[in-house]
Amino acid sequence: HSLAQHDAGAANTAIKLSSEQWRSDIRFLGDELAKRHRNAFHRLKREDYDTAVKSLYDGAPRMTDDEIIVGMMKIVAMVKDGHTNLIPRQFFRSGIFPVKYYWFSDGLYIIKAAPEHAGLVGAKVLRIGKMSVDDALRAAGAVNASDNEMGRRNYAPIMIKVPEILSGLKVIDDKTKLSLVVESDGKQRTVEISPTAAVNTLMQSPKEWLDLGGSSALPLYRKNPGETYWHEHLQDKKLVYIQHNGIANKEGEPVADFYRKVLELVEANPVEKLVLDIRFNGGGNNTLNVDVVKQLIRSKLNRRGSFFVIIGRDTFSAAQNLVNQLEKYTEATFVGEPTAAHPNHYGDNRPFELPNSKLTVRASSLWWQDLDPRDDRYWTAPEVAAEMSSYDYRMGRDPAFQAVLDYSLAEGFQQILAEAQRTGDVATFVTKYRKYKSDPKHRFVDTEGPINRAGYWLLERKRLNEAIEVFKLNTEYYAESANVYDSLGDAYQAAGNKEEAIKAYTKALSKDPTYTSSVEALKRLRAQ
C-alpha cells in the first residue's frame, strides 16, 4: 500500500520553512526522483515532468505550505506508479475529518463516522467544500500515487479526509471545518464537521465508529478483515472460501501450510467450487506466492467454472504478482473489479529524504515482469464484473461472491468462440457475441485479440466474407485500435476489394500514424 507503509502517527513538532528552503526541496525532489526511480519516464514524458517541477519551483514563494506539499505529491504521482509516493504525515497537523468514505458504483457515500456524526452514516456526498464531489475526487486522485484508475478510486476517498490536502487543493479555505452537501432519504442538506480524529485513523477507523452495514448480517468477506488468511467450508453450497489479505506468513501457520491444509479439505470433501478472495490484498513478500500457486495448480478444482479469484481496487503489488501467476498457470476465473496495478509493474521502493522538510519520498527500484514484455495492460480485468453499490453494502450483500454462485460456464466468451470454431456457424457466433458484450458484467473483458485471431482463422480457410464480418465486429467494439482496421484491410485485400482495403488501412493510420503494416500495405496498393 502506498499509504499503509506510513501508518505511524504524525510528528507534533511544527516545521516552518522559508520559500528558499521549500524551493531547494522542490529542486532536490525533481533531480533525485528522476535519478533514483528505475524508470521514472515509463509512462511520463520528461518534458512534462520538468515543466511541472519548474512551475512549482517558480510558484513556491506565492504558495502556502499546504499548496507546496500537495504540489510535490502531484509531481511524484505523475510517475503513475503506486509504489512511488510521498505521504507527508508529519504535516498532517490538523487531525483527520472523522468520517470514512467509499466510492461505490452509485457514488461516494459515508460508510463510517464518529458517534457525534451518526446522522451522516449512509449519506451520499454531493459536494465537498468548494467543489462538486466529482471535481474533489478528481483533484484528490492526482495527489496520491497510483498505477491506474482503480488505485485512484481506492485512495482518493482517503485523501479527502485530510485537512491539509483539501487546503492544498483549494477545496477548503479553513482547515478547522469542512462543509459537506449530502443526501439522505431523498433530501439534501449541508453539514459542517471538524477534524477531530487522530492521524492514525487515516487508514483504520476506530471500533467505536458507526458503520453503514452494521445492522445487517455480516457478509462473508467482512468476517475477518484483520486476518492475514482464513477459510470457511460452506457445505450447503459445496464451496470452500479463502480470504487472503496479505502476502505474508501468519505466526504459527506459514502460508504454504495453510493452503496445504485447506486443499486437503477440498480433496477430501464433495467440494465443487473454490473461491480465493484477494480483493483486499495490498501485497507483501513475493517469494511466498510460489508455494501457493503450485498447490492450486494441483487442486482437483483447478478447472474452468470451479476455481474463482475475486480481485479489486486494493489488489496490488505482490498480490498483483499472485494474480499474474494464477492467470498464467491456472484455470481461474477472475471476478469483481479490475486490479490496482499493471500486470508488469515497478515496485520495491526505496526511501530518500528531502533535505529541509525531511519529507520521505519512496521511489521504485525494480521492474517486475511476470508476463510477456509487451503486456502493457492497464490492470488485470475481471471476466465477470461485480461492483458494490451502497445498497449492497447496507444490506450485507456481496455482488462478487454472488456472481461466483450464479456463474454458468456456458456463458463464457471462450466457450462461445470454441463452439463457433467447432460448428463453423459464424452468424450464430456474431449473435451470441453481441449478447455477451451487451451484458454489463462482461464490460472489462478484452476480446480484441481472440476475435482478431478468429478472423485470420477464417481467412486461412478462404471464408473471406465471414472473415470480413468478424473483423468488422472488432471495429465496432474496439474503434480506437489501429490493429482492428489493419486486420480488416487485410481481409478486404484478400477478397480483392482494393477500395475498401485502402479505406481500412487509412483508418488504421488515423488511429496510429506509425502502424507499420498499414503504411506498407497502402504503399503496395497505391503502387499497383
Side-chain angles (χ1 to χ4, degrees):
H1 288 295
S2 47
L3 283 174
Q5 291 168 331
H6 304 266
D7 217 15
N12 294 321
T13 309
I15 304 170
K16 190 64 184 171
L17 303 185
S18 68
S19 291
E20 284 311 306
Q21 286 176 310
W22 277 122
R23 293 178 91 183
S24 174
D25 274 9
I26 292 164
R27 177 167 283 166
F28 186 85
L29 169 66
D31 292 344
E32 291 299 310
L33 182 58
K35 283 192 291 190
R36 291 171 184 261
H37 194 283
R38 181 66 181 266
N39 182 3
F41 306 105
H42 180 59
R43 300 183 187 278
L44 166 68
K45 291 181 181 175
R46 179 70 196 239
E47 54 266 35
D48 292 342
Y49 176 81
D50 290 340
T51 298
V53 173
K54 184 178 186 304
S55 175
L56 184 61
Y57 179 87
D58 291 344
R62 299 178 298 279
M63 299 168 75
T64 66
D65 287 1
D66 295 336
E67 289 167 355
I68 292 169
I69 291 168
V70 163
M72 290 197 290
M73 292 176 76
K74 285 181 178 178
I75 286 169
V76 175
M78 288 176 74
V79 178
K80 295 183 173 63
D81 164 16
H83 287 91
T84 296
N85 56 66
L86 165 57
I87 310 297
R89 284 179 179 269
Q90 61 265 53
F91 281 88
F92 295 169
R93 301 186 187 116
S94 304
I96 301 294
F97 291 111
V99 293
K100 180 177 181 178
Y101 306 98
Y102 193 84
W103 196 340
F104 291 106
S105 61
D106 52 334
L108 187 77
Y109 284 75
I110 295 172
I111 61 167
K112 291 186 180 183
E116 64 268 26
H117 297 300
L120 286 176
V121 177
K124 183 176 185 178
V125 183
L126 305 178
R127 194 167 183 83
I128 299 170
K130 298 189 290 182
M131 290 188 185
S132 70
V133 68
D134 290 341
D135 287 345
L137 287 171
R138 194 175 300 113
V143 168
N144 193 75
S146 54
D147 279 28
N148 58 35
E149 179 60 27
M150 296 315 292
R152 285 189 285 277
R153 288 182 81 89
N154 197 25
Y155 284 117
I158 298 171
M159 294 285 100
I160 58 175
K161 293 168 63 176
V162 183
E164 281 75 13
I165 287 178
L166 292 179
S167 169
L169 291 169
K170 300 183 179 179
V171 178
I172 58 176
D173 296 321
D174 183 348
K175 287 183 281 189
T176 67
K177 58 187 179 183
L178 172 62
S179 173
L180 295 172
V181 178
V182 298
E183 182 179 73
S184 300
D185 302 320
K187 295 176 183 175
Q188 290 186 22
R189 58 197 165 107
T190 302
V191 297
E192 195 173 272
I193 60 175
S194 299
T196 57
V199 173
N200 60 12
T201 66
L202 191 57
M203 296 291 290
Q204 297 294 332
S205 304
K207 289 182 179 178
E208 67 269 18
W209 284 18
L210 287 87
D211 191 304
L212 173 60
S215 60
S216 56
L218 210 59
L220 197 57
Y221 77 94
R222 292 187 61 201
K223 281 192 173 179
N224 297 299
E227 286 284 340
T228 307
Y229 34 80
W230 60 278
H231 79 283
E232 192 159 319
H233 181 194
L234 304 177
Q235 293 178 317
D236 59 324
K237 293 181 170 59
K238 296 184 178 179
L239 180 149
V240 167
Y241 172 88
I242 300 170
Q243 189 175 77
H244 193 161
N245 294 322
I247 308 297
N249 279 322
K250 196 160 64 171
E251 191 173 346
E253 186 180 32
V255 67
D257 291 351
F258 167 79
Y259 274 86
R260 190 176 301 111
K261 179 184 73 176
V262 174
L263 292 170
E264 282 172 0
L265 180 150
V266 167
E267 295 300 316
N269 288 276
V271 179
E272 295 176 359
K273 285 185 177 178
L274 176 63
V275 181
L276 173 59
D277 188 348
I278 52 175
R279 76 184 104 172
F280 307 113
N281 194 322
N285 183 351
N286 272 292
T287 63
L288 299 176
N289 286 332
V290 177
D291 284 336
V292 171
V293 175
K294 279 189 197 170
Q295 293 185 69
L296 288 167
I297 289 170
R298 290 194 290 263
S299 171
K300 72 178 183 183
L301 295 183
N302 179 26
R303 59 177 186 263
R304 295 284 299 170
S306 295
F307 180 32
F308 298 86
V309 179
I310 299 178
I311 54 177
R313 66 185 69 179
D314 211 6
T315 308
F316 185 66
S317 193
Q320 176 66 57
N321 293 75
L322 176 58
V323 167
N324 296 343
Q325 293 174 35
L326 293 171
E327 181 181 39
K328 195 172 182 178
Y329 299 119
T330 76
E331 297 298 318
T333 298
F334 293 97
V335 179
E337 296 179 315
T339 60
H342 302 286
N344 290 330
H345 60 266
Y346 289 94
D348 289 69
N349 59 29
R350 298 291 179 265
F352 66 93
E353 191 177 85
L354 304 186
N356 298 303
S357 62
K358 306 301 179 186
L359 291 172
T360 299
V361 181
R362 292 174 176 270
S364 290
S365 65
L366 289 178
W367 171 242
W368 285 92
Q369 186 178 290
D370 288 346
L371 303 176
D372 189 299
R374 295 162 296 186
D375 189 337
D376 195 32
R377 278 177 295 167
Y378 195 50
W379 49 39
T380 299
E383 183 177 323
V384 182
E387 288 182 280
M388 181 82 66
S389 72
S390 61
Y391 185 73
D392 291 325
Y393 186 88
R394 184 192 299 269
M395 301 306 293
R397 296 176 179 174
D398 182 359
F401 188 68
Q402 191 60 47
V404 170
L405 297 179
D406 296 341
Y407 183 83
S408 167
L409 191 60
E411 294 175 6
F413 169 68
Q414 294 298 337
Q415 282 66 40
I416 296 170
L417 190 59
E419 181 189 10
Q421 288 186 315
R422 188 177 65 254
T423 63
D425 187 346
V426 174
T428 299
F429 166 74
V430 170
T431 301
K432 287 187 174 182
Y433 176 75
R434 288 188 189 283
K435 183 181 177 184
Y436 177 87
K437 290 292 279 185
S438 68
D439 189 330
K441 69 173 177 275
H442 301 140
R443 64 188 174 279
F444 293 116
V445 180
D446 184 356
T447 59
E448 180 186 343
I451 292 291
N452 215 50
R453 290 190 289 274
Y456 280 110
W457 185 85
L458 289 165
L459 267 188
E460 288 168 6
R461 285 152 183 79
K462 308 299 182 188
R463 295 167 65 176
L464 304 181
N465 290 335
E466 290 171 316
I468 288 169
E469 288 309 305
V470 168
F471 286 129
K472 281 169 73 175
L473 199 61
N474 239 1
T475 66
E476 283 181 44
Y477 292 98
Y478 298 94
E480 296 307 308
S481 166
N483 181 57
V484 297
Y485 295 103
D486 180 79
S487 299
L488 180 60
D490 289 350
Y492 277 128
Q493 192 176 183
N497 191 335
K498 180 180 173 182
E499 184 181 345
E500 289 299 325
I502 288 173
K503 281 183 188 176
Y505 291 130
T506 303
K507 186 74 171 178
L509 293 179
S510 74
K511 303 300 176 184
D512 179 359
T514 65
Y515 208 80
T516 308
S517 54
S518 287
V519 171
E520 292 174 351
L522 278 175
K523 280 181 186 173
R524 286 195 305 272
L525 286 170
R526 285 170 176 159
Q528 288 172 6

